[in-house]
Amino acid sequence: MRAMNYRGPQRVRIEDKPMPEILHPEDAIVRVTRSCICGSDLHLYNGNVPDTRVGMTFGHEFIGVVEEIGSEVHKLKVGDNVLVPFNIACGKCAFCKQGLYGNCHESNPEATAVGGIFGYSHTAGGYNGGQAEYVRVPYANFGPTVIPEGMDPDDAVLLTDVVPTGYQAAEMGGIQKGDTVVVFGAGPVGIMAARCAWLFGAARVIIIDHIEYRLEFAKNYAKCEAYNFKSMNDPVVFIKKETDWLGADVVIDAVGAEAEGSAMQSITGRKMLLQAGSATALHWAINSVKKGGIVSIVGVYGPTSNLVPIGNVVNKGLTIRANQASVKRLLPKLIEHVKNGTLKPKGLITHRIPLEAIADAYRIFSDKLDNCIKPVLIPSTAKY
Amino acid sequence: MENINKDYMQIEGWGVDADPENDPTYPMKHRTNEEHKGYHWERSEQQPALVEILHSNERPNLSAVFGTSAPPKGLSGMIRRYAFRYSEGSFAHWIPLIMADRVNVIEGIIDDLKRGRFPNIWAEKGLKARWKYDKKKIFQNIGAGTLLISGVAGFLFWKINTIKA
């Protein structure tokens, strides 16, 4: 089969790889029909996630058709169209039973701090991902969800990560009616978080980034205010000014380790890898939220440590909430939101690129070329 | 304070999921306290380890399922095995892993050459796309590279001449 193959920082290619096999009685093999490149894939692409091994296939956002099932799979059948949550969860461990499906204890031997994730380094379990024609899907009785009849595949593929992560970012913010919410990062997840903040009753939603075309897109898609931090002297002072000098009620970090905006953070975090990525957005979030406010983190950081003003967290009495999205928990509600038109995820997709052009797709998304917001990869085996 | 979007309540879906109980003290997890009983839930059948799988020393075993995408091998594999002696809280775990990743890149190039394949760096870096959408950046990079190489070469030339004199 054809699959993406990681060769080193900023080097990927498509090549023939062996077909995935059933390795466990609860496995399924899925023929991929849509797969995305996620902003967090760029951390892998740039070589910033430890234990990212040459030869791996990335891709944790994908949908497809069940081609084969293991002997213990009873809840799926061959031919089912499924969307596959990006996190691999058993559904039986103590954490899964609490709805923490992003924190499963039975899907990743290599690290206890993160559950298994498709195509996301050996730190997240060493699984090959969905930027391929076929993929092995463990715990097929639990994770994969049959796509409702009539749902557009472009909507379905975004329900595997972008929509639940954006939604959970807003949910973790504990937004109350009338709140002012600031979102750092106008990538697909940040835009979705801004859109979802309205669902919880926000009265004002502000998104901050430095890429003009993304800000313009966010303003239209998420109906929010959008500002370029490069046009401000200091984003923290800007937000204070905009919020009657008190700060926002809720601030969401939807940027993570690749943040720009601070030379010191960029050099130590992204160039020298002395930190687990650049924590500029998180720094701004802590400083621009109101005393007693909530910082919600969905931006991805590495496993070591970051320079953040933890003293201000204490002195301001902040609550910090963070997690990988619990996709399976949120899916029933989000599927309803998509079916009734409240959320329109496919509007985020700007590029449809054949899987064969994977290297160009990564370059376009990574360098933000051609006004790219969200690229979707289509393997030649996809029949719709 | 001026509210810029005065019609926000008209936005489709506004407030539909508002939940006064979702404050920071309201746990999102459905608390079962099962973890208080320790690590003894009903596990799925153990996937057989047919290739070498390294596991964190913060757990006693392999998880019931795991990926087998790229087992450790060569020099990078030796470094990775060393890294896994240390816990996830230790730099002695993560820094060797990053080193191993870089060594692994060189191993990948050697593997390619052994198979008679010369890596097409231009294609792997997706520079065709950059050429299509952002030629300026390519010329900037070429210019910066040329300047840097010229500077280093000039300095070395001057240094050699100084030593000879």
Side-chain angles (χ1 to χ4, degrees):
Chain A
M1 67 156 182
R2 304 290 279 165
M4 177 269 198
N5 187 323
Y6 172 73
R7 305 309 299 170
Q10 302 208 353
R11 281 179 54 217
V12 298
R13 68 187 182 214
I14 186 87
E15 66 179 29
D16 290 322
K17 290 181 85 170
M19 281 286 287
E21 294 174 5
I22 300 279
L23 299 176
H24 185 274
E26 293 170 50
D27 283 357
I29 305 296
V30 168
R31 172 169 55 80
V32 178
T33 51
R34 293 281 190 287
S35 168
C36 296
I37 303 176
C38 176
S40 60
D41 285 330
L42 299 181
H43 309 321
L44 299 169
Y45 179 67
N46 289 325
N48 292 339
V49 179
D51 218 356
T52 303
R53 301 182 192 171
V54 167
M56 272 198 77
T57 296
F58 299 168
H60 55 268
E61 301 179 0
F62 61 92
I63 59 169
V65 180
V66 177
E67 290 284 310
E68 191 183 348
I69 52 173
S71 57
E72 293 297 319
V73 177
H74 310 298
K75 295 191 176 166
L76 284 184
K77 59 183 189 307
V78 170
D80 279 347
N81 269 305
V82 288
L83 67 89
V84 182
F86 73 90
N87 22 43
I88 300 167
C90 71
K92 293 191 267 194
C93 72
F95 306 104
C96 283
K97 280 185 179 167
Q98 296 175 94
L100 299 170
Y101 302 124
N103 310 98
C104 175
H105 207 66
E106 293 291 0
S107 57
N108 179 12
E110 274 128 332
T112 55
V114 59
I117 298 174
F118 289 98
Y120 209 80
S121 83
H122 277 68
T123 295
Y127 299 90
N128 277 321
Q131 289 166 10
E133 290 178 337
Y134 295 87
V135 63
R136 171 195 168 214
V137 175
Y139 296 132
N141 283 323
F142 187 75
T145 299
V146 174
I147 299 171
E149 197 66 38
M151 178 175 280
D152 190 308
D154 287 346
D155 281 327
V157 74
L158 295 180
L159 281 167
T160 62
D161 182 352
V162 174
V163 181
T165 301
Y167 185 91
Q168 186 167 317
E171 184 190 45
M172 289 191 298
I175 298 165
Q176 300 294 311
K177 282 187 175 174
D179 276 357
T180 294
V181 179
V182 170
V183 181
F184 283 109
V189 167
I191 294 169
M192 187 51 70
R195 177 68 189 87
C196 290
W198 297 118
L199 305 189
F200 291 92
R204 193 174 179 196
V205 181
I206 298 170
I207 199 163
I208 310 266
D209 200 294
H210 67 109
I211 309 285
E212 257 328 304
Y213 80 82
R214 289 193 164 190
L215 289 167
E216 196 57 36
F217 186 97
K219 196 159 65 176
N220 293 326
Y221 183 90
K223 320 284 181 219
C224 61
E225 298 164 50
Y227 299 102
N228 190 329
F229 67 75
K230 289 204 166 156
S231 65
M232 309 165 185
N233 284 331
D234 183 335
V236 172
V237 175
F238 173 82
I239 291 166
K240 289 282 174 71
K241 244 182 189 171
E242 287 290 315
T243 53
D244 216 12
W245 297 100
L246 294 178
D249 298 284
V250 175
V251 180
I252 294 169
D253 170 6
V255 182
E258 305 281 340
E260 293 194 28
S262 158
M264 200 271 284
Q265 288 275 1
S266 293
I267 291 166
T268 57
R270 294 167 60 202
K271 305 292 179 196
M272 301 172 74
L273 298 184
L274 294 175
Q275 310 185 54
S278 159
T280 306
L282 183 53
H283 208 283
W284 287 342
I286 289 168
N287 286 326
S288 59
V289 75
K290 189 180 278 183
K291 289 173 188 171
I294 301 166
V295 174
S296 166
I297 310 170
V298 290
V300 172
Y301 292 91
T304 52
S305 48
N306 284 95
L307 291 169
V308 291
I310 199 72
N312 290 356
V313 174
V314 176
N315 291 334
K316 292 173 78 171
L318 303 186
T319 297
I320 294 187
R321 296 179 85 178
N323 208 341
Q324 299 282 353
S326 183
V327 178
K328 192 72 184 177
R329 175 179 67 83
L330 293 170
L331 272 179
K333 180 182 281 185
L334 295 176
I335 286 173
E336 277 313 303
H337 281 335
V338 172
K339 279 165 76 177
N340 66 27
T342 303
L343 293 175
K344 300 175 178 74
K346 70 177 178 185
L348 290 170
I349 295 172
T350 51
H351 288 68
R352 286 176 178 76
I353 300 173
L355 176 66
E356 291 292 318
I358 185 90
D360 292 337
Y362 266 91
R363 178 59 58 197
I364 288 168
F365 189 46
S366 170
D367 287 5
K368 301 169 181 69
L369 301 173
D370 196 31
N371 291 349
C372 183
I373 300 286
K374 186 72 179 174
V376 171
L377 301 165
I378 305 181
S380 59
T381 46
K383 297 189 179 102
Y384 63 92
Chain B
M1 179 173 55
E2 186 193 6
N3 191 322
I4 293 180
N5 190 346
K6 289 191 164 46
D7 294 329
Y8 62 86
M9 287 186 199
Q10 303 309 314
I11 291 173
E12 193 173 6
W14 182 84
V16 293
D17 290 334
D19 178 4
E21 285 192 69
N22 182 16
D23 71 27
T25 59
Y26 178 77
M28 248 171 43
K29 69 178 182 180
H30 171 61
R31 182 172 276 278
T32 62
N33 292 338
E34 284 224 6
E35 71 266 40
H36 294 172
K37 298 175 197 161
Y39 183 13
H40 78 290
W41 50 81
E42 186 197 339
R43 300 179 75 219
S44 287
E45 187 177 310
Q46 179 66 54
Q47 177 183 334
L50 304 175
V51 294
E52 182 184 2
I53 304 294
L54 299 171
H55 78 81
S56 167
N57 68 2
E58 294 185 32
R59 59 178 301 135
N61 56 2
L62 294 177
S63 51
V65 304
F66 45 82
T68 55
S69 61
K73 61 174 188 176
L75 177 61
S76 64
M78 288 166 64
I79 302 171
R80 293 188 208 284
R81 286 181 203 107
Y82 169 82
F84 273 83
R85 291 188 205 165
Y86 297 92
S87 77
E88 295 162 54
S90 168
F91 281 100
H93 179 71
W94 299 112
I95 290 171
L97 284 177
I98 291 173
M99 274 174 57
D101 292 347
R102 299 300 177 261
V103 170
N104 200 195
V105 173
I106 297 163
E107 291 172 332
I109 292 171
I110 294 168
D111 278 350
D112 273 348
L113 294 175
K114 275 202 239 169
R115 287 189 292 158
R117 175 174 191 163
F118 195 81
N120 183 346
I121 304 288
W122 173 273
E124 288 176 359
K125 283 183 157 297
L127 294 178
K128 195 174 80 181
R130 187 184 272 174
W131 179 255
K132 184 174 176 188
Y133 297 111
D134 191 11
K135 288 186 183 67
K136 195 173 144 194
K137 178 94 176 182
I138 288 184
F139 287 122
Q140 275 174 350
N141 287 351
I142 291 171
T146 309
L147 265 176
L148 186 71
I149 291 166
S150 311
V152 171
F155 175 76
L156 289 175
F157 185 70
W158 171 79
K159 197 78 183 165
I160 289 164
N161 280 343
T162 311
I163 291 166
K164 276 183 183 168

